Amino acid sequence: METSVKKTCLNERHRALDATMVEFGGFDMPIEYKDGGIVAEHNAVRKAVGVFDVSHMGEVLVTGDEALYFVNHIFTNDVRTIQDGGILYGMMLNERGGVVDDLLVYRCEENKYFLVINAANIDKDIAWIRKCAGEFNVKIENLSDKYGELAIQGPDAEATIKKVLDIDGSALGFYTFKMFEYEGETIILSRTGYTGEDGFEIYSSPELTVKLWDKLISAGVQPCGLGCRDTLRFEAGLPLYGDELGDDITPVEAALSMFCKLDKENFVGKDIVADQKANGAPRKLVGLEINAPAIARHGYEVLDADNNVIGHITTGYRSITLDKNIAMALVDSRYSKLGTEVQVRVRKKVFPAVVVKKRFYTPNYKK
């Protein structure tokens, strides 16, 4: 049975701006806008400011006497290390150590946590969270339909939200948030993002999200689609679920084991992570620089010198910022050392490449 594609609260606004729309994560989403295009939108975020509709993301509230213990049980990072108003990045794992999803956990108070999950995984994640709840004394609420979300990203983000929205984010450090009253409702402002630049994300009702979007667009802020969201996060070495992460990819393989705290109480998948951190994983995510005028796309083969397949590309572009052909790939760990020479197959041709750091662009976060 076919399921209908969902629309965010800003769908009509995207169409009014003549955006190129595609289905992503079950939602009708903009890839790029007619008066911008991926390159212009990408550069706006790197050099000034842009606004993204990320209302397709999912939000889950976990409360109850054992919320702290429960979230730590399903989450690889350690929420005991942050205070109220703090945010952590991490993952939920299955029993095999594969990534169910990567997510942000907002600590509202000791036993109240706001989880932000990927759009394509909302139903799967909530089912998994409820399954794991077991005997824990917690309440799990899916608030995904109650929130819209904007991401205002770029070096001018702080000044823009102050001038255009009269929202002061200057006191927020990186990966912190605050809740406050704005136009009669409680909204969440976090200093987070997915671009490698400074920026903020605003969670509010769908109705208020539309108002905030209109104010920003009227002030000349560049609307940005999923196209440049992908090129921006890729340059900064940030993973995308479905590419660099998946149910069969572990955090160690994805080079994200620093977000797995093995010194805390047991969490789902901990034994697999611990074993791979101690003994090595069979595969590893690496960066590649391709020394040829060829762009390696998701799924393309990575080869050794004898043309044996040793892995596959997860994401690849000609970098807009760096003006070179680069990619991330999941390869046999024996070929993961920096400087290792490999090859990539692009359609029917093979081109030389070298293993480099997967963070191609140095992020400009506010610390």
Side-chain angles (χ1 to χ4, degrees):
M1 184 176 68
E2 293 186 3
T3 56
S4 59
V5 177
K6 300 176 184 178
K7 297 179 180 179
T8 74
C9 54
L10 291 167
N11 189 270
E12 292 183 2
R13 297 299 195 268
H14 302 317
R15 294 189 173 278
L17 292 170
D18 202 12
T20 299
M21 305 292 289
V22 300
E23 187 274 328
F24 177 82
F27 287 81
D28 187 37
M29 296 295 293
I31 288 294
E32 61 181 346
Y33 295 86
K34 181 179 180 181
D35 293 334
I38 290 176
V39 173
E41 294 166 23
H42 179 108
N43 287 330
V45 174
R46 284 279 181 258
K47 299 174 181 178
V49 66
V51 58
F52 298 82
D53 174 18
V54 285
S55 303
H56 59 314
M57 301 293 283
E59 294 84 18
V60 180
L61 187 66
V62 179
T63 57
D65 293 342
E66 295 181 316
L68 168 62
Y69 302 103
F70 173 65
V71 172
N72 248 7
H73 175 67
I74 62 171
F75 189 54
T76 59
N77 217 323
D78 192 348
V79 294
R80 297 174 304 176
T81 63
I82 54 172
Q83 302 298 316
D84 298 353
I87 306 170
L88 284 178
Y89 171 81
M91 291 144 281
M92 294 188 295
L93 308 183
N94 56 39
E95 295 90 342
R96 304 179 306 280
V99 179
V100 175
D101 202 3
D102 63 331
L103 66 154
L104 296 179
V105 171
Y106 289 54
R107 175 172 166 146
C108 305
E109 53 191 69
E110 182 176 355
N111 281 309
K112 184 177 181 180
Y113 297 90
F114 185 75
L115 281 53
V116 182
I117 57 181
N118 284 301
N121 294 338
I122 292 174
D123 292 342
K124 179 188 79 168
D125 284 3
I126 291 172
W128 175 253
I129 293 169
R130 294 190 187 282
K131 177 183 177 181
C132 291
E135 300 301 318
F136 285 92
N137 182 17
V138 292
K139 180 180 180 181
I140 299 162
E141 298 175 79
N142 179 6
L143 304 181
S144 303
D145 292 336
K146 298 183 182 297
Y147 282 100
E149 183 187 353
L150 298 180
I152 302 94
Q153 298 284 300
D156 295 342
E158 181 182 304
T160 297
I161 65 170
K162 176 62 177 175
K163 179 180 179 180
V164 179
L165 305 178
D166 194 26
I167 294 176
D168 187 358
S170 61
L172 287 180
F174 189 48
Y175 266 57
T176 66
F177 74 98
K178 65 177 180 180
M179 304 175 71
F180 59 98
E181 293 299 308
Y182 186 92
E183 294 197 7
E185 69 174 74
T186 301
I187 71 172
I188 300 172
L189 176 71
S190 63
R191 197 160 205 152
T192 49
Y194 193 50
T195 62
E197 301 297 335
D198 187 23
F200 298 86
E201 294 185 299
I202 301 174
Y203 302 83
S204 59
S205 68
E207 295 77 18
L208 181 54
T209 298
V210 173
K211 291 181 181 179
L212 297 175
W213 172 274
D214 287 346
K215 287 182 179 181
L216 291 163
I217 299 302
S218 296
V221 177
Q222 174 67 57
C224 297
L226 294 180
C228 80
R229 184 170 167 83
D230 200 43
T231 58
L232 289 160
R233 69 90 191 166
F234 163 70
E235 288 182 348
L238 302 173
L240 176 65
Y241 195 90
D243 289 345
E244 288 75 37
L245 294 171
D247 289 317
D248 61 343
I249 301 172
T250 72
V252 181
E253 291 177 321
L256 295 171
S257 61
M258 72 285 291
F259 300 107
C260 300
K261 305 305 181 185
L262 299 180
D263 57 349
K264 70 172 188 174
E265 294 179 20
N266 193 42
F267 60 85
V268 179
K270 178 181 177 181
D271 54 340
I272 304 297
V273 174
D275 179 70
Q276 290 191 348
K277 287 190 74 169
N279 303 308
R283 303 176 297 177
K284 186 175 181 181
L285 187 70
V286 299
L288 295 178
E289 186 171 324
I290 301 166
N291 302 312
I295 300 175
R297 302 296 189 189
H298 176 91
Y300 286 10
E301 293 176 339
V302 182
L303 313 170
D304 65 12
D306 297 320
N307 291 332
N308 298 306
V309 177
I310 58 169
H312 292 83
I313 301 295
T314 59
T315 304
Y317 284 106
R318 182 162 188 83
S319 168
I320 296 171
T321 304
L322 306 174
D323 194 29
K324 60 176 65 174
N325 292 330
I326 52 180
M328 285 193 279
L330 193 60
V331 302
D332 185 311
S333 291
R334 293 173 296 173
Y335 299 87
S336 63
K337 185 178 179 179
L338 295 179
T340 301
E341 295 182 354
V342 296
Q343 303 180 94
V344 294
R345 191 190 305 279
V346 179
R347 298 183 179 89
K348 295 183 179 181
K349 296 184 178 180
V350 174
F351 299 95
V354 62
V355 175
V356 297
K357 292 181 179 180
K358 68 181 181 67
R359 178 174 281 185
F360 307 102
Y361 173 81
T362 302
N364 292 308
Y365 305 127
K366 179 178 178 179
K367 297 296 185 180

